[in-house]
Amino acid sequence: MEEAVVSVFGLVVLTAALFVEERIAENETNLLEVWDQAYRVGLGGGRYLDAVALIDAYQPTEDEAWGWHQLRGTFRAYVGDADGALADFAQSPDYDVVGQNGSDQAELGRLTPSPATETLRELARSHRIVMINEAHGNSRQRAFMNALLRALRDDGFTHFAAETFHSETAIQITADGYLARNSGHYINDPVFADAVEFAHGSGMELVAYEITRAQDCRPECDGRGYARHRERMQAENLASALADDPDARVLVHVGMGHHSENTAGRETVFMGTHLAEMLGEDPLTIDQLRGDPVAGWASMQRVWNAISNRYPLIEPTVFRRANGALFGTPFLDVIVFHPDYDDIQSRPHWFVDLLGREGVLYLLPAESEAELRLLQAFRVGDGPDAIPTDQILIEPGARAATLMLPEGEFRVVLQRLGEDDRDFHVVTIP
């Protein structure tokens, strides 16, 4: 089952970027063309709302269904529809991890909980490399990564690496003073963008490690061969970026299970295994997939259910076994378990708990009530291609919406289909 997951998630946006042009040239209307158009509209023109409408209107074939849900969930995360994004990603094939937590039911009752951020900071003191994953489209996991990044920066971490970066990401943000939409795909989630802007603004070096076009082994390799090749190339790129700075300490952000350790000898050796071998050191590997209340996979969900039924999860939490060992998996050191946050003004409460955001409620024009709309907030002074600090998709019939904002001065904008953006006013969060 792992091979299937690697081949599906390993391709994602990169596959579309590599092959969509030739598919369009053949006049083949398919999901890849919709994928390309959505990204050109959303990233190229800042019309996130148009991109969402384009994806929603497409009728996928049975073979395209999961790819369509993944695309839809990705953009739903971008536009602040956290529940919608998770619902789409939950349509994926089940990722069977039964037993991979290495515990029986009796042992689950003998765990000792501790606050995740504080414990991970303590663990990170003896590591130069910390690796954390996400399920693409899960903004809650990105919010925790954001909070952990800030804590590790305070503790002396110097680099932030992410598979969504490309070689020009750091150059762009340095030149413009803000993060632009074309600087990477997944950073169009404002929660992710906030982490990147913090890292760069605090002096951390941004590290791109994703496989490049020049490193692609296709068409000589098949899909599985490409997945294996990609894992090694990611590790080589990351190792190369760190080779010249032995004092570098890096938080590495990955999708899914690319940071898995101890996979040597398996059909797919993951990037985390390659990297540990190349650098001769053991990274601290953190899993968020099995500890999420909406994991997207039924078998993973059972791990969170088993824990939450025994322990009150009021904040991100990690556990130790009765013998003192971290509660993780055979391939990852420790699992972070997230609470099932309540909403505040129809937005997830983790905006407040993890990011310290403040909710600002807006009443919307009555004439737009029957339409799908998008409310956005941009930092005053950022350019027209900036990623919003926050944005929220407003379904037809809604008359109010809440933006979750940090300190600063923001330009609030209403986006409607087929119309120019409409500025509301400037709001200041003290």
Side-chain angles (χ1 to χ4, degrees):
M1 187 64 184
E2 262 178 339
E3 283 296 324
V5 172
V6 172
S7 63
V8 169
F9 284 90
L11 303 181
V12 190
V13 173
L14 186 63
T15 300
L18 292 173
F19 292 109
V20 72
E21 292 179 1
E22 66 185 60
R23 295 294 185 93
I24 293 174
E26 296 169 357
N27 294 318
E28 181 180 354
T29 302
N30 56 25
L31 183 61
L32 287 181
E33 182 174 354
V34 174
W35 198 306
D36 177 73
Q37 290 174 352
Y39 275 101
R40 288 182 190 275
V41 168
L43 275 67
R47 297 293 302 181
Y48 294 91
L49 185 63
D50 295 51
V52 168
L54 174 71
I55 298 164
D56 285 351
Y58 183 70
Q59 298 296 316
T61 66
E62 184 177 349
D63 290 340
E64 293 174 330
W66 164 224
W68 178 79
H69 278 294
Q70 186 177 34
L71 175 60
R72 188 172 184 268
T74 297
F75 269 85
R76 290 272 163 171
Y78 292 171
V79 298
D81 182 11
D83 291 340
L86 293 174
D88 273 304
F89 274 82
Q91 301 300 314
S92 66
D94 193 19
Y95 184 14
D96 186 6
V97 294
V98 174
Q100 288 192 16
N101 60 310
S103 298
D104 56 28
Q105 294 297 313
E107 186 182 25
L108 289 178
R110 299 193 297 269
L111 301 177
T112 300
S114 63
T117 301
E118 290 83 347
T119 304
L120 294 175
R121 291 180 75 170
E122 180 66 30
L123 293 169
R125 292 194 177 97
S126 59
H127 292 271
R128 190 167 76 106
I129 301 171
V130 174
M131 309 179 81
I132 187 169
N133 63 354
E134 70 164 30
H136 297 313
N138 193 320
S139 296
R140 172 175 44 233
Q141 294 175 9
R142 291 169 177 168
F144 179 77
M145 178 276 295
N146 191 335
L148 179 63
L149 171 71
R150 294 165 188 267
L152 293 182
R153 177 57 180 151
D154 287 344
D155 294 341
F157 274 65
T158 57
H159 291 61
F160 178 40
E163 69 179 20
T164 194
F165 294 158
H166 56 65
S167 59
E168 302 297 315
T169 300
I171 296 173
Q172 178 275 311
I173 192 173
T174 299
D176 296 336
Y178 60 88
L179 191 61
R181 293 186 302 270
N182 62 357
S183 293
H185 287 296
Y186 295 123
I187 54 177
N188 279 272
D189 181 340
V191 176
F192 204 152
D194 183 62
V196 178
E197 291 190 317
F198 165 79
H200 184 269
S202 67
M204 299 182 80
E205 184 172 337
L206 305 182
V207 180
Y209 65 85
E210 182 57 273
I211 186 172
T212 65
R213 284 177 180 265
Q215 294 172 330
D216 197 333
C217 63
R218 293 171 293 188
E220 287 76 16
C221 64
D222 60 13
R224 289 190 175 186
Y226 169 77
R228 293 191 291 270
H229 177 71
R230 181 192 181 208
E231 298 293 333
R232 175 169 285 279
M233 288 299 98
Q234 286 183 323
E236 287 187 4
N237 292 340
L238 189 51
S240 177
L242 298 176
D244 296 333
D245 189 354
D247 295 324
R249 303 183 71 197
V250 58
L251 176 65
V252 182
H253 184 257
V254 310
M256 305 304 294
H258 293 297
H259 59 334
S260 294
E261 304 180 79
N262 308 317
T263 55
R266 301 170 66 87
E267 186 173 354
T268 294
V269 177
F270 285 87
M271 184 259 283
T273 303
H274 287 305
L275 185 66
E277 293 175 350
M278 291 174 186
L279 297 179
E281 54 187 292
D282 178 33
L284 174 64
T285 50
I286 304 166
D287 179 42
Q288 295 194 88
L289 304 188
R290 295 161 183 81
D292 196 274
V294 187
W297 296 273
S299 49
M300 279 191 184
Q301 193 70 52
R302 288 196 288 272
V303 181
W304 185 86
N305 289 341
I307 292 294
S308 62
N309 286 338
R310 290 171 170 80
Y311 305 93
L313 294 175
I314 59 175
E315 63 180 336
T317 302
V318 298
F319 293 85
R320 289 190 180 275
R321 303 177 192 273
N323 62 4
L326 293 169
F327 183 72
T329 82
F331 309 113
L332 298 166
D333 292 324
V334 60
I335 302 171
V336 174
F337 287 89
H338 293 280
D340 190 5
Y341 291 96
D342 294 329
D343 286 347
I344 176 172
Q345 297 177 358
S346 300
R347 300 297 300 278
H349 207 286
W350 50 255
F351 272 105
V352 177
D353 291 356
L354 297 179
L355 302 179
R357 297 288 183 94
E358 179 178 328
V360 181
L361 181 65
Y362 286 89
L363 298 179
L364 304 172
E367 69 269 19
S368 69
E369 185 176 350
E371 304 172 351
L372 189 70
R373 295 141 294 166
L374 183 67
L375 192 65
Q376 303 175 296
F378 297 88
R379 285 194 179 274
V380 171
D382 284 356
D385 58 345
I387 297 170
T389 299
D390 188 33
Q391 54 185 350
I392 179 64
L393 188 68
I394 308 160
E395 299 291 347
R399 289 293 309 277
T402 298
L403 290 171
M404 303 299 292
L405 300 175
E407 294 180 1
E409 192 175 24
F410 302 94
R411 181 172 59 92
V412 180
V413 174
L414 182 66
Q415 194 170 100
R416 297 166 65 176
L417 290 171
E419 296 185 13
D420 293 337
D421 292 349
R422 174 178 174 179
D423 280 23
F424 269 9
H425 64 285
V426 171
V427 60
T428 301
I429 306 298

